[in-house]
């Protein structure tokens, strides 16, 4: 397992399918392994609480102060339509950068634990399954075959689509006020 703040990566455009050797940060969520291309990772911090925002959907767990910047924290389990993450001793916030209107925005995701950085060759990534992944198909880039286990490689731009989340937040506020 990586310790929080052990991984810091430079941001850059997604090059997942163009590169031959790929690196992924893996993390666990409800016992399942997920991976995100390392170029999206800004840093990992230990969960030290957050500020909840009233009337927000369950997946928007709150905000944190990251060196003076307000960063929203998404509960990835809730975003996937599951029960919200139970905070434990190894719970971390992975700070990712997602692109919106040609700007990179920091967004935190709450995960059960961060595992390791994997290096894989492109051919180790198998096509996403058509069914049975318990996730929306557009959230999955593919399945990483690593030592006879499969790790779900996430398309973080789709998972953290700012436009889609903004639409959902608008619906949530409308449901509470209207």
């Amino acid at each position: 397992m990586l310790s929080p703040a052990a991984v810091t990566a430079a941001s850059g455009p997604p090059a997942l399918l163009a590169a031959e050797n790929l690196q992924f940060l893996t993390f666990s969520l409800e016992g399942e392994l997920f991976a995100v291309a390392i170029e999206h990772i800004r840093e990992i911090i230990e969960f030290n609480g957050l500020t909840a925002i009233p009337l927000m959907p369950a997946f928007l767990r709150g905000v944190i102060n990251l060196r003076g910047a307000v960063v929203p924290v998404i509960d990835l389990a809730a975003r996937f339509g599951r029960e919200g993450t139970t905070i434990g001793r190894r719970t971390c916030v992975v700070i990712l950068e997602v692109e919106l209107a040609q700007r990179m925005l920091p967004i935190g995701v709450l995960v059960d634990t961060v595992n390791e950085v994997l290096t894989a060759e492109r051919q180790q990534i198998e096509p996403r399954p058509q069914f049975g992944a318990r996730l929306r198909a557009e959230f999955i880039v593919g399945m990483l075959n690593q030592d006879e286990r499969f790790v779900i490689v996430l398309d973080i731009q789709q998972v953290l689509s700012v436009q889609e989340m903004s639409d959902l937040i608008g619906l949530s506020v409308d449901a509470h006020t209207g």
Side-chain angles (χ1 to χ4, degrees):
M1 180 184 125
L2 294 174
S3 64
V7 173
T8 300
S11 63
L16 182 60
L17 298 177
E20 288 299 320
N21 288 319
L22 310 167
Q23 286 193 309
F24 299 94
L25 175 73
T26 64
F27 56 88
S28 299
L29 198 60
E30 296 181 338
E32 288 184 80
L33 278 176
F34 295 91
V36 173
I38 197 81
E39 64 261 16
H40 297 289
I41 309 297
R42 185 167 165 185
E43 64 186 283
I44 302 166
I45 58 175
E46 185 176 336
F47 181 81
N48 284 320
L50 49 72
T51 303
I53 303 172
L55 304 178
M56 290 292 117
F59 69 83
L60 181 54
R61 194 77 177 244
V63 295
I64 59 171
N65 181 339
L66 185 65
R67 293 181 289 282
V70 176
V71 175
V73 176
I74 305 299
D75 186 332
L76 215 46
R79 175 75 174 129
F80 293 161
R82 303 172 184 176
E83 293 291 320
T85 299
T86 301
I87 303 301
R89 191 174 56 84
R90 297 173 68 183
T91 302
C92 293
V93 177
V94 179
I95 306 296
L96 299 143
E97 291 187 319
V98 295
E99 186 175 346
L100 177 67
Q102 300 178 341
R103 288 186 39 219
M104 299 307 283
L105 299 175
I107 295 179
V109 295
L110 202 56
V111 301
D112 291 339
T113 185
V114 171
N115 296 337
E116 62 184 325
V117 174
L118 293 176
T119 300
E121 296 179 5
R122 184 171 16 146
Q123 57 267 26
Q124 287 179 273
I125 299 176
E126 300 188 13
R128 65 181 171 208
Q130 297 302 312
F131 60 93
R134 299 186 342 152
L135 288 178
R136 289 172 32 193
E138 65 267 23
F139 287 176
I140 302 172
V141 171
M143 305 293 285
L144 176 61
N145 188 349
Q146 184 73 23
D147 299 328
E148 298 186 23
R149 65 183 171 151
F150 285 103
V151 180
I152 300 170
V153 180
L154 296 173
D155 182 340
I156 209 63
Q157 283 295 137
Q158 290 294 320
V159 172
L160 299 178
S161 166
V162 174
Q163 184 60 53
E164 180 182 335
M165 288 192 298
S166 295
D167 292 346
L168 291 171
I169 289 168
L171 291 175
S172 179
V173 171
D174 290 345
H176 286 93
T177 58

